[in-house]
Amino acid sequence: MALQCGIVGLPNVGKSTLFNCLSNAKAQAANFPFCTIEPNVGVITVPDERLNRLAELVHPQRIVPTTVEIVDIAGLVKGASKGEGLGNKFLANIRETDAIIHVLRCFDDDNVTHVDGSVNPVRDKEIIDYELQLKDLETIESRIQKVQKQAQTGGDKAAKQTYDVLVRYKEALEQGRSARTVTFDTKDEQKIARELFLLTSKPVMYVCNVDEASAVKGNKYVEMVREAVKDESAEILIVAARTEADIAELETYEDRQMFLAEVGLEESGVARLIKSAYKLLNLETYFTAGVQEVRAWTYEKGWKAPQCAGVIHTDFEKGFIRAEVIKFDDFIQYGSEAAVKEAGKLSVEGKEYVVQDGDIMHFRFNV
């Protein structure tokens, strides 16, 4: 599943520095706007200690983790919705992503210029929100023109539902609220809303880029962000991107852990960000475990067994017969598939089984 998170923010807030930490693809992290012209794409491994624990028991020939794509998108400026700066490029790139990682500058440094002359993460957030909202409003108004007459005079139920969804979005956007703050009760309305692909309907995570001294507890700028987004149901992550860059350059795992301990962190900001991005996309992991490989597979939360089988191969979904399921904790407790079976802890599930995060799966199929 090639799902993408787009890293966005104003110029010089630390997007490319953070991207460099996340990926081996090195974006140019320079102290001037638009150093990232084309979106840089990095395929990021999702850290999952469960994979290592399974491998210790199974001793496979190889271990295959799950991944998420991270896209570093050019910095946005005021007027982007009208094509200012690299606005059109920015908006096209962000439209293709599944979720947004919004980086906010939450540190003081006279050596790093700010496009608006001063540090104010809430103002920066509002600039990007405003530009994305304007573009969404343009989309909504264009759609309203197409369906309004049909909805109001033609007796077309589908057109009426679409019109009602558009009007609710229009009201929110005109009030300066993003589309993600609007909720719909019926499945039909939810489907119409999804198919509009609005920029501000995408799930968002705010990453507060701080100095090293603020890496553990944050600072006054982080508190400003918390207050500003308290009604958005959005996740906030504190990351010291420059410190993370230093950690990324260390060669051994032990050196990186010592560095983290000195700073006062148990886990790197990069690892926390990747895990959070995975959750932001509403993703979970199931495993397959055998002597050839122990592998993590990505699926959307709530998927049933046949859909999850299809992640491996479409034939698995088409010819699905049943799934043999072992819970992760049971596998760890008993130490092998054979011991789990002997203990009666392997379950056989049909087409309606909703796969759970951490399940170890073996699919039976016939095509």
Side-chain angles (χ1 to χ4, degrees), residues 272-318:
R272 287 184 287 115
L273 192 151
I274 297 168
K275 289 178 182 178
S276 297
Y278 196 68
K279 289 179 183 175
L280 188 67
L281 291 166
N282 202 32
L283 302 179
E284 292 184 332
T285 302
Y286 74 82
F287 301 100
T288 51
V291 291
Q292 288 191 328
E293 70 174 21
V294 167
R295 183 166 187 153
W297 300 91
T298 299
Y299 68 96
E300 285 191 32
K301 187 175 182 178
W303 275 13
K304 294 179 179 179
Q307 289 174 286
C308 289
V311 174
I312 298 176
H313 197 286
T314 53
D315 284 350
F316 282 31
E317 183 173 5
K318 289 176 187 173

Side-chain angles (χ1 to χ4, degrees), residues 19-35:
F19 179 83
N20 288 345
C21 301
L22 287 164
S23 172
N24 290 328
K26 295 294 183 184
Q28 180 188 359
N31 182 23
F32 57 89
F34 308 133
C35 63

Side-chain angles (χ1 to χ4, degrees), residues 36-90:
T36 311
I37 304 297
E38 295 298 328
N40 292 270
V41 180
V43 179
I44 313 301
T45 298
V46 179
D48 196 327
E49 185 55 35
R50 295 174 300 182
L51 197 63
N52 298 327
R53 294 186 69 189
L54 286 174
E56 288 169 4
L57 295 172
V58 178
H59 304 294
Q61 294 173 17
R62 62 176 183 164
I63 303 170
V64 184
T66 191
T67 59
V68 171
E69 286 186 4
I70 305 290
V71 187
D72 180 26
I73 298 171
L76 176 145
V77 294
K78 289 177 184 175
S81 59
K82 304 299 181 187
E84 291 295 325
L86 296 170
N88 290 330
K89 193 89 170 172
F90 173 97

Side-chain angles (χ1 to χ4, degrees), residues 177-195:
R177 294 189 292 120
S178 293
R180 73 181 68 89
T181 65
V182 182
T183 57
F184 298 97
D185 297 327
T186 71
K187 287 187 177 180
D188 286 344
E189 288 175 329
Q190 291 165 5
K191 183 174 184 290
I192 293 165
R194 278 196 307 273
E195 290 174 352

Side-chain angles (χ1 to χ4, degrees), residues 8 22 28 32 66-67 71 77 107 115 140 148 150 172 200 204 224 234 253 262 266 286 291 302 305 338-339 343 348:
V8 306
L22 287 164
Q28 180 188 359
F32 57 89
T66 191
T67 59
V71 187
V77 294
F107 65 89
V115 71
I140 292 296
Q148 186 171 8
Q150 192 178 1
T200 64
V204 63
M224 288 168 60
Y253 174 80
E262 288 175 12
E266 293 181 8
Y286 74 82
V291 291
V348 177

